[in-house]
Amino acid sequence: MSAGDPTPDKKAAEPSGVDLARVALRAAREQARARGDAARQRKQARRGGGLRSGARADGRDPMALGAAINRLLTERGWETPAAVGGVMGRWPQIVGEDLAKHCVPQRYDEDERVLTVQCDSTAWATQLRVLAPALVARLNEDLGHGTVRMIKVLNPGGPARRYGPLRAPGSTGPGDTYG
């Protein structure tokens, strides 16, 4: 074996039959393990996810109704609409009995963060517009900063418009007075 003979380097670079067998065996074991893992996962899925009943709590354990509702609200992202709905239920306590008798919350636009309130007369609508900044601050105290950006006050709706022979052309009826 001289320094110029290429055969020793060639033999060192080529794996022998035993090495090839080891590599093939390792690859076969990995493939079998992968097939076994896949079969085990399919079997667990048929049995219900592989969860076993035991002494420790898991996702299948029963929970209190309040905790289940809170979890649902959190998972679905309904915290703000639910909180605003609670405020609508407590409307008389928040704004006072007098104002609550004449002004009723109608809807909440989550995207615009606007609470729409319907009043039964223009006088109460004006009163609510005057109190709106303080009411927005009070609502944001209860719901979290920035939940309600603005209160939109709706004037009362007039009676249904009737069309007939005694109507003046071009008249909008009692809607003329509600501005």
Side-chain angles (χ1 to χ4, degrees):
M1 286 192 233
S2 66
D5 191 9
T7 51
D9 292 336
K10 194 174 183 183
K11 285 185 179 180
E14 290 182 17
S16 66
V18 174
D19 293 332
L20 289 174
R22 285 184 185 141
V23 170
L25 180 62
R26 187 177 309 121
R29 283 181 180 163
E30 288 175 5
Q31 289 174 354
R33 187 175 300 122
R35 282 193 307 268
D37 287 344
R40 190 176 310 114
Q41 288 174 352
R42 285 192 302 268
K43 190 175 181 181
Q44 285 178 348
R46 281 194 305 261
R47 286 187 193 162
L51 294 175
R52 305 242 185 254
S53 180
R56 292 188 177 84
D58 63 18
R60 300 177 303 152
D61 286 347
M63 60 175 51
L65 182 61
I69 290 172
N70 287 337
R71 183 170 143 190
L72 180 67
L73 290 175
T74 302
E75 286 174 356
R76 302 284 169 103
W78 294 340
E79 291 105 344
T80 301
V84 171
V87 164
M88 289 183 178
R90 295 182 295 124
W91 185 251
Q93 291 86 15
I94 293 172
V95 299
E97 293 295 327
D98 271 350
L99 196 60
K101 288 178 188 174
H102 301 283
C103 302
V104 180
Q106 296 293 315
R107 65 186 161 275
Y108 174 72
D109 183 3
E110 190 174 355
D111 297 330
E112 298 290 323
R113 297 188 323 254
V114 174
L115 179 65
T116 304
V117 180
Q118 176 81 47
C119 297
D120 63 2
S121 72
T122 54
W124 282 105
T126 303
Q127 181 68 22
L128 187 63
R129 284 189 187 102
V130 170
L131 295 173
L135 191 56
V136 167
R138 166 85 197 232
L139 289 169
N140 284 328
E141 265 180 35
D142 286 354
L143 301 173
H145 182 66
T147 304
V148 178
R149 186 176 57 82
M150 184 177 104
I151 293 179
K152 181 178 178 183
V153 181
L154 300 178
N155 285 324
R161 295 181 185 176
R162 288 179 252 147
Y163 299 98
L166 300 178
R167 299 286 299 167
S171 170
T172 57
D176 288 343
T177 59
Y178 295 121

